[in-house]
Amino acid sequence: MSYCINPWCTKRENPDIEGSAEDRSNQRCQNCGTPLLIQKRYRLIRPLREIDEWEPSEIFEVDDLGQPKVLKLLKKKLFQPQFEREVRTLQQLEHAGIPKIEADGWFTLAVGDREIYCLVMEKIQGVNLDQWLQDHAPINQATAVDWMHQLTDLLQQLHSGDLFHRDIKLSNIMLRPTGQLALIDFGTVRPMTNTYFAKVGSKRDITSVVSSGYTPLEQINGKAVPQSDFYALGRSMVHLLTGKHPVDLHEDESTGKLSWRKDAKQPLSDWFVQLLNDMMAPFPGQRPLNAGVVMARLDKKNRAVDPKVVSLIALNVALLVFQLTLGWAWLRAQDTRQQELQGVALTSLTAAANRLESAACKSVDS
């Protein structure tokens, strides 16, 4: 099955034809006549999200000469600046948790009298965490700390490039088979420029990105800042720890604070709960200053040893004390034995000396 890349085609599914490689490369959509092989290499295999005519973009899995990749196409020119920003972001970032694109991985394609904008990127193998949570139990603290560490490292990379993501949520986090996490969908990325912050300060209109339950109030109001990513990351972790979407948890209307700890399925340390609560604070100034602060708090507190490890250490200490006690007792015994031997030897020497003295006296008398 191949899909027509034309977003305005009314029947986009096409059966693969039999024949030579040339016949397949020349195959066209049976409905609108658009070539099914794009740039002489990409063939659309299946949509990765439901096709919606009102959405500005579509995402497909594509076959790139036998290698699976992802193609994102933009069909509304209004969003071209955001699309080009996503391209530049993926080009400048070098991280195992961020999809890679090739130098020729983005291009403009003429479809009839219109144009669409295409971006081909690495296909992250695995499943997004939203799908993963549907098939698994909520995670424990150890897993949460590991995943938090990975995602904070990703945010540190992103923020150090003067960018912030603005749409962190479970469906935008991929879990590879190796256990490594990857962040996807960089179409919402925003640069941290003086122009942007000037717009925020002057209350000028800025396009907002809203994902219900994950997005902080300042971002809903078009005033997102880097700390908005921490809020969304904290909410994502709470979703994973409780198994409940943030919109299904109680939020205090007066303070904006989320009540969630009682819904966690595994015991949690106070320090970890406090860190997540700080990340989800209602106001950006109440959240950690940067990713380095979050990382430092994770590293410092996570040095606490697992109870099983504590028990093992205690057992080893007890064995060491026992061995030292035995050694000390043995040395004492050896010392006592040595003293006894020395006493016997001294007695023998004294007796021998007395005998020699007696013999000498007798010799003199004679």
Side-chain angles (χ1 to χ4, degrees):
M1 181 71 67
S2 296
Y3 274 78
C4 177
I5 199 172
N6 179 2
W8 303 281
C9 178
T10 56
K11 192 176 186 311
R12 300 175 70 175
E13 296 182 30
N14 289 264
D16 290 329
I17 64 170
E18 300 292 335
S20 65
E22 184 177 358
D23 291 336
R24 292 195 296 274
S25 65
N26 291 327
Q27 185 183 2
R28 291 178 174 269
C29 175
Q30 296 178 349
N31 184 53
C32 70
T34 301
L36 295 180
L37 191 66
I38 311 304
Q39 300 288 91
K40 298 182 179 180
R41 57 188 293 185
Y42 305 117
R43 185 179 294 275
L44 279 65
I45 304 301
R46 63 186 180 95
L48 292 178
R49 71 181 182 201
E50 185 177 355
I51 296 176
D52 185 342
E53 62 177 310
W54 299 107
E55 285 286 336
S57 63
E58 298 174 348
I59 301 179
F60 287 87
E61 180 180 342
V62 299
D63 176 78
D64 178 13
L65 304 178
Q67 183 177 0
K69 290 187 178 178
V70 171
L71 181 145
K72 181 175 184 178
L73 69 89
L74 179 70
K75 54 190 177 183
K76 294 186 178 181
K77 188 175 177 63
L78 175 66
F79 296 94
Q80 184 181 354
Q82 291 94 318
F83 183 81
E84 292 179 350
R85 188 184 301 135
E86 179 176 9
V87 172
R88 291 194 298 271
T89 298
L90 293 176
Q91 284 178 330
Q92 77 180 65
L93 294 174
E94 288 290 335
H95 195 287
I98 296 174
K100 295 178 175 59
I101 64 171
E102 298 176 6
D104 58 351
W106 68 287
F107 50 89
T108 302
L109 192 67
V111 179
D113 59 350
R114 299 190 241 191
E115 285 186 331
I116 58 175
Y117 309 91
C118 301
L119 169 62
V120 180
M121 67 191 87
E122 172 192 7
K123 183 179 188 300
I124 303 293
Q125 300 297 329
V127 62
N128 72 55
L129 292 186
D130 193 35
Q131 297 169 330
W132 182 90
L133 190 57
Q134 294 175 29
D135 300 324
H136 296 80
I139 62 177
N140 58 24
Q141 180 172 311
T143 301
V145 169
D146 176 31
W147 288 1
M148 274 269 290
H149 206 285
Q150 292 190 49
L151 292 169
T152 303
D153 183 62
L154 277 167
L155 285 182
Q156 193 166 36
Q157 174 85 2
L158 193 63
H159 292 179
S160 65
D162 293 329
L163 301 163
F164 52 107
H165 191 275
R166 295 199 304 166
D167 199 20
I168 295 173
K169 55 187 177 182
L170 297 195
S171 59
N172 282 340
I173 304 170
M174 298 291 295
L175 176 63
R176 297 180 189 265
T178 59
Q180 183 186 57
L181 297 180
L183 196 56
I184 61 173
D185 196 353
F186 286 78
T188 59
V189 164
R190 191 84 206 206
M192 292 184 270
T193 62
N194 292 333
T195 302
Y196 170 76
F197 289 117
K199 286 182 179 180
V200 170
S202 63
K203 299 182 180 180
R204 291 164 60 187
D205 288 340
I206 298 174
T207 304
S208 61
V209 179
V210 178
S211 293
S212 181
Y214 293 101
T215 306
L217 184 60
E218 76 273 3
Q219 185 170 318
I220 294 173
N221 293 332
K223 299 178 181 179
V225 290
Q227 288 75 19
S228 303
D229 283 345
F230 301 146
Y231 182 98
L233 177 56
R235 291 269 175 137
S236 298
M237 287 297 115
V238 165
H239 192 170
L240 290 165
L241 288 162
T242 64
K244 294 183 178 181
H245 194 286
V247 297
D248 296 324
L249 295 166
H250 176 71
E251 183 175 315
D252 191 298
E253 294 182 2
S254 60
T255 64
K257 293 183 178 180
L258 197 67
S259 176
W260 63 275
R261 185 174 186 174
K262 66 181 184 302
D263 293 293
K265 304 304 181 184
Q266 301 280 350
L268 300 173
S269 300
D270 290 341
W271 72 265
F272 188 59
V273 172
Q274 187 60 54
L275 174 58
L276 291 179
N277 285 338
D278 288 348
M279 293 173 67
M280 299 184 295
F283 301 103
Q286 298 171 327
R287 300 172 203 151
L289 180 63
N290 53 48
V293 172
V294 178
M295 195 81 78
R297 288 178 65 174
L298 282 171
D299 289 341
K300 180 181 179 181
K301 294 295 184 178
N302 200 40
R303 290 174 190 155
V305 185
D306 184 271
K308 293 181 180 178
V309 177
V310 172
S311 299
L312 185 60
I313 292 174
L315 178 61
N316 278 287
V317 170
L319 287 173
L320 178 61
V321 171
F322 179 68
Q323 290 173 344
L324 289 173
T325 302
L326 284 179
W328 178 79
W330 182 83
L331 288 174
R332 285 292 303 273
Q334 290 294 103
D335 187 52
T336 301
R337 177 62 177 163
Q338 186 68 24
Q339 289 178 1
E340 290 175 351
L341 290 175
Q342 288 176 352
V344 170
L346 182 59
T347 300
S348 299
L349 288 173
T350 302
N354 290 335
R355 286 195 296 272
L356 287 173
E357 184 179 357
S358 176
C361 289
K362 288 179 180 179
S363 176
V364 171
D365 292 339
S366 299

